[in-house]
Amino acid sequence: MQILKRNAGFSMVELLVVVAIIAILSFIAIPRYKSYQARARRAEGMNMLSAYYTASHSARAEYGVFPGNMVATGYAPQGLINYRFRTNDNPGFRAGIRIFDDDCIATWSNCDCAGGGSAPCPSFKTWTEKPMGTPEVQLGPTTVAVNCGSLAPLGPTTDNAFSARVGGVINLYSSRTDRIGMDHMKNIEVCQDGVR
C-alpha cells in the first residue's frame, strides 16, 4: 500500500485572498481609528473653553467685571496646544491693569501690542500653539471664526458677558477646522465639526 504525502502549504490564490481581506479590513478600520483620535483631541478644545470659563468667573469675582483677555483673566494652558484660542478685551476694564492681547492670539508668534496704546503687553506666556505639521500631517491651530451657530458673535467683552472661541485641525483625514464656541453662561456649541 502506497501512502501519498501531500505538501502542507498555501497556494498563491489563498495568500492573495487573505491579503485582500486584511487590506479591506484596514481600509475600514484606519479611518475610524483616526476619527476616535480626533474625538480625543476635541476634548482639549472643550477643556480649554471650560478652563477659561472658570478663570473668567474668578476674575469677575476679583475685579467686578470680565476682563476679556487671557492674561488678566489668569488663563494659561500648558504645553503645545492643538487649538487657537480667541476672546476679545473688555474696553471698560481698568486701563492700569488692562492688557491688550488680541495681537497675541497666534501664540507661537512674538507679541506685538502696537495697537494697545498705553496698556501693557502680556508679561508672560506659558502656552504655545502647536505649529502646523508636514503636508501629510496637517494638525494644529487655525483661524478662529467670529460667528458660531446660535451664540452671539465674538465681540468685545462687557462687564457681564464674554464670548470665546477655539479652532484647530484635529483630524488627519480632513483639513476641515474644528470650531467650538462658548459664552459667559457656559453655552457651548460646535460651530464646525472637524472630527468627521
Side-chain angles (χ1 to χ4, degrees), residues 4-61:
L4 296 176
K5 264 190 175 181
R6 185 178 173 196
N7 278 339
F10 296 107
S11 70
M12 184 61 80
V13 172
E14 291 171 328
L15 285 174
L16 287 174
V17 168
V18 170
V19 169
I21 290 171
I22 291 172
I24 290 169
L25 291 175
S26 298
F27 185 74
I28 294 170
I30 290 175
R32 288 190 179 200
Y33 173 69
K34 297 298 182 189
S35 177
Y36 292 138
Q37 285 183 317
R39 287 179 203 280
R41 290 187 189 102
R42 176 180 278 171
E44 176 189 321
M46 294 288 195
N47 288 338
M48 288 172 67
L49 289 171
S50 182
Y52 183 76
Y53 173 86
T54 302
S56 292
H57 281 271
S58 295
R60 187 169 186 240

Side-chain angles (χ1 to χ4, degrees), residues 15 17 21 29 33 42 50 59 61 72 77 82-83 91 104 107 110 116 127 132 136 152 170 177 185 187 194 196:
L15 285 174
V17 168
I21 290 171
Y33 173 69
R42 176 180 278 171
S50 182
N82 288 298
Y83 283 86
C104 302
T107 52
N110 291 328
W127 70 98
M132 292 293 278
E136 298 81 28
I170 57 172
T177 302
M185 299 294 290
N187 296 312
R196 296 180 204 164

